Amino acid sequence: MAKIGIDLGTTNSSCCAWDSERHIFHFLHFGVETLDYFPTAIAYEKASGKAAYIGAAARDCLFSEDYDVYERFKLSLGRGAHEKNGRAFSPMEVTRDFLREVIRTYETETGEEVESLVITVPDVWKNEEQNKTALDNLTELVQELGYTAEVQAVFESEPVAAAAYYCVEVCRGQYEGHIVVIDYGGGTLDLTLCRVEQGKIRVLRRCGNGGGGETGCAGVAFDEAMTQRLVERLDLDREVFQRGSLDFCELQGMFERAKIASAKLTREALSDYYISGGCDDRKAFSINTRRLLRKDCAAAASDIAQSFEAVNQTALQDALSRILQYCQAENVDIQSQQSFRVLMVGGFSNLYCVESAVRSSFRSIDGGKDLRFDNGMRLDARSTAIAQGAALIAADMISIIPMCQCEIGFYCFDAYRRNDPTDPGGEIIAIPLIERGRPLGDYREPCYCPGKVEVRFCTGDTVMTLYFDEGSGKVPIKMDKAIAQIFPNLDDKDNTYQIGFSMTRSGRPILHIRDRSGEVHEESLHRIQEKIALLLLPEEGKKPGA
């Protein structure tokens, strides 16, 4: 029986298991592929509608008329994940089929049945409205695959998984201190502050940026910006090479492959470019575009640096500023060469532009010796550290102690007097049930309010409003539109209720409503927020989901 780790990435994914007897990782490889990661792509036969290929083989079908190819579906796993938007399959269906094929292929290649798995997810999903339901959707998805969520299928933070890899595999359990993990991938940017003590990782703070739109603010957005720069510099036909066209996508794929293959030369060219203040502007790599353009083209260090500055730098600098504030709040000595480390993981972090910006924020000289950065982790491990960490967590090689990042409770107020629940001058009782800074494990079982609540309707108002505070103030969640759907036995006029909350291991807040007979309704708070938003929108003259 196998326990595997899966890094479900925006552009590339990785799957592996930890062999405790031989102390090595077994990576999943497809066919003759030798890389420890593979494209997050799946191809369906148009004639049959069946999943035919995943990984590189699926990407090779991108321009075939016989196949329907899906990429970047991870970016759509939040709100709207069940919508097809004119295509044959929804993001949920595509993700389910992709993971099913990954698991099936691993079992075929190894002859071992996958007993349990750890799937890594962006931390930033938990703090963004369009992505908050992504974890709920993944929970639904793994249950369709036959795994019990939170038991056989655990969702772990991508940065935390990388920290686990660093502590176990690089430091052999000898490091103690703080770690800031910067996970910059194809679609999301995650920064996490951890404290390592006695072989346990305590997750303190997190921030980041999931971007928006089709490509976001990370690696995919950079690749697209660089491709557009090449189109303009080579004076290519703007109509033929417009964004989203087949020729544009093919050129973008050529650029991405050349960038990955030339990572070492690109790093050297960019390092010299930054150290020289932009004076040393050498060619970073050549791109084999003869099949498409009948000639090769090249990317210079300035092309790469300026595209990065235009698309990625603001999001990265904003996130770095926040994590530095968190370090100060937690009294972290960020200058310590013994007890502070900065880890950069994710495929996009291999671009030296990212490292230069990070070093600058932590006052580390480009190219200089700094134990905080020169921490023994190989550059090529940045792309696979998350999957390897997930495999180590699946194998119980290290303990993770996530801390609660939010406060959740509810307001009690007099509906008849129409007090505003956000007005501190009103007659309002704010009752916190989940407190920030405590271990999530404290809330695995629901914590109920001490008193009982009556539900009464008066011209559309109710006696209860939930609130959700992730550090920037209490956000009220009015329950007047969804209350009939989540309170059991409302037809009993004398019924009373207790309100409770629990937190899953992955940080999903669950609302529990228990009536006087003991019947309990459970639902994700994120789903309730989405449900209320959909119910309120028609009142504003919009369609649900608009």
Side-chain angles (χ1 to χ4, degrees):
M1 302 290 278
K3 298 180 179 181
I4 65 174
I6 298 177
D7 173 17
L8 178 63
T10 301
T11 51
N12 291 295
S13 296
S14 184
C15 172
C16 64
W18 170 249
D19 186 332
S20 57
E21 294 183 0
R22 301 172 60 192
H23 294 276
I24 60 172
F25 292 94
H26 292 300
F27 281 92
L28 172 63
H29 297 117
F30 293 91
V32 296
E33 295 293 322
T34 58
L35 294 175
D36 291 336
Y37 53 87
F38 45 90
T40 308
I42 182 168
Y44 294 86
E45 290 180 338
K46 289 183 178 179
S48 65
K50 295 181 179 179
Y53 303 107
I54 63 172
R59 185 172 285 179
D60 289 342
C61 298
L62 192 60
F63 306 105
S64 170
E65 295 182 355
D66 298 326
Y67 295 94
D68 192 11
V69 180
Y70 291 77
E71 297 182 286
R72 304 176 192 169
F73 41 86
K74 174 183 173 180
L75 296 177
S76 302
L77 282 178
R79 185 173 295 169
H82 293 274
E83 298 174 8
K84 297 183 179 181
N85 296 316
R87 302 200 68 181
F89 301 98
S90 69
M92 275 285 285
E93 293 170 322
V94 172
T95 306
R96 178 201 61 205
D97 293 343
F98 180 83
L99 287 174
R100 178 185 286 129
E101 287 301 305
V102 167
I103 294 169
R104 185 192 64 79
T105 305
Y106 184 90
E107 291 179 333
T108 300
E109 293 295 318
T110 63
E112 291 186 282
E113 181 181 351
V114 173
E115 173 187 16
S116 60
L117 59 157
V118 171
I119 302 175
T120 58
V121 297
D123 253 331
V124 74
W125 274 3
K126 302 166 189 174
N127 301 319
E128 295 186 333
E129 287 302 323
Q130 72 270 24
N131 288 321
K132 279 185 175 179
T133 54
L135 283 174
D136 297 290
N137 291 332
L138 277 175
T139 299
E140 178 183 319
L141 186 151
V142 297
Q143 289 172 343
E144 286 185 34
L145 294 176
Y147 295 94
T148 304
E150 300 291 326
V151 179
Q152 294 174 291
V154 173
F155 304 124
E156 189 54 83
S157 153
E158 291 169 347
V160 172
Y165 169 77
Y166 177 74
C167 292
V168 175
E169 186 66 5
V170 178
C171 299
R172 305 297 182 185
Q174 299 303 307
Y175 176 74
E176 292 207 352
H178 288 94
I179 300 176
V180 167
V181 184
I182 297 156
D183 171 26
Y184 216 173
T188 56
L189 166 64
D190 270 319
L191 282 76
T192 299
L193 172 63
C194 305
R195 171 74 185 176
V196 184
E197 290 180 303
Q198 299 178 346
K200 298 180 180 180
I201 299 177
R202 190 177 295 270
V203 186
L204 303 178
R205 300 288 190 107
R206 23 170 89 98
C207 64
N209 192 316
E214 180 69 19
T215 57
C217 66
V220 174
F222 169 80
D223 290 347
E224 189 175 85
M226 264 299 303
T227 305
Q228 184 64 39
R229 187 180 182 94
L230 293 174
V231 168
E232 294 170 358
R233 197 180 68 193
L234 297 171
D235 196 26
L236 302 177
D237 188 322
R238 303 295 176 84
E239 292 187 6
V240 174
F241 286 91
Q242 62 179 317
R243 291 194 183 202
S245 68
L246 289 178
D247 287 327
F248 186 93
C249 292
E250 188 170 1
L251 181 59
Q252 183 173 332
M254 292 174 175
F255 165 76
E256 181 188 357
R257 288 189 290 272
K259 178 190 68 175
I260 294 173
S262 307
K264 183 177 180 181
L265 293 176
T266 301
R267 180 179 178 82
E268 292 173 357
L270 285 168
S271 176
D272 292 340
Y273 176 85
Y274 281 109
I275 291 172
S276 68
C279 296
D280 189 349
D281 185 18
R282 72 178 73 175
K283 181 177 73 174
F285 56 85
S286 295
I287 308 170
N288 183 356
T289 56
R290 277 169 288 179
R291 188 177 65 83
L292 185 65
L293 306 178
R294 297 182 181 178
K295 61 180 179 180
D296 288 343
C297 61
S302 59
D303 290 326
I304 297 171
Q306 290 170 24
S307 295
F308 174 83
E309 290 164 7
V311 177
N312 312 102
Q313 186 150 336
T314 298
L316 179 57
Q317 291 292 354
D318 289 347
L320 287 168
S321 296
R322 288 189 64 189
I323 205 70
L324 285 170
Q325 293 173 2
Y326 291 154
C327 287
Q328 184 177 14
E330 297 288 343
N331 296 315
V332 179
D333 182 4
I334 64 173
Q335 299 303 321
S336 174
Q337 296 281 305
Q338 289 74 41
S339 60
F340 184 70
R341 294 290 183 267
V342 179
L343 303 184
M344 283 172 281
V345 297
F348 192 51
S349 69
N350 279 322
L351 194 71
Y352 192 79
C353 305
V354 176
E355 181 167 332
S356 179
V358 174
R359 281 182 175 269
S360 177
S361 293
F362 287 93
R363 298 182 181 180
S364 179
I365 300 173
D366 279 298
K369 184 69 175 176
D370 189 336
L371 293 179
R372 297 176 301 168
F373 289 82
D374 302 321
N375 44 56
M377 194 165 83
R378 305 186 320 273
L379 285 175
D380 60 351
R382 290 182 178 179
S383 298
T384 58
I386 294 172
Q388 290 171 286
L392 290 168
I393 295 170
D396 297 321
M397 294 294 292
I398 190 166
S399 297
I400 310 296
I401 307 176
M403 308 300 290
C404 189
Q405 305 290 309
C406 60
E407 179 183 312
I408 306 174
F410 65 96
Y411 294 107
C412 283
F413 62 100
D414 186 346
Y416 292 90
R417 300 182 69 172
R418 295 181 171 277
N419 287 332
D420 179 357
T422 63
D423 180 7
E427 295 180 10
I428 303 160
I429 302 173
I431 302 178
L433 298 180
I434 301 291
E435 297 180 17
R436 186 185 297 106
R438 289 180 60 177
L440 282 179
D442 291 355
Y443 299 114
R444 296 302 296 276
E445 295 296 324
C447 178
Y448 284 96
C449 63
K452 295 184 179 181
V453 177
E454 293 182 3
V455 176
R456 298 174 184 170
F457 293 90
C458 179
T459 62
D461 291 331
T462 68
V463 297
M464 189 187 74
T465 296
L466 301 177
Y467 71 81
F468 192 59
D469 185 354
E470 293 174 311
S472 56
K474 292 179 173 61
V475 177
I477 306 170
K478 293 185 69 177
M479 301 297 295
D480 53 327
K481 300 299 179 183
I483 205 164
Q485 300 176 38
I486 62 176
F487 276 71
N489 302 317
L490 266 180
D491 54 342
D492 180 357
K493 296 181 180 180
D494 296 323
N495 211 344
T496 57
Y497 301 90
Q498 280 187 291
I499 312 300
F501 283 99
S502 64
M503 300 289 285
T504 68
R505 176 175 173 174
S506 58
R508 292 168 53 239
I510 307 297
L511 172 68
H512 303 257
I513 299 179
R514 182 171 61 193
D515 77 350
R516 64 177 182 175
S517 69
E519 184 174 341
V520 179
H521 178 90
E522 300 178 7
E523 191 161 352
S524 163
L525 180 59
H526 294 154
R527 285 204 185 279
I528 291 174
Q529 287 179 284
E530 182 178 58
K531 181 186 297 183
I532 293 173
L534 293 175
L535 287 165
L536 290 177
L537 283 174
E539 295 186 355
E540 301 171 5
K542 300 178 182 179
K543 295 180 180 180

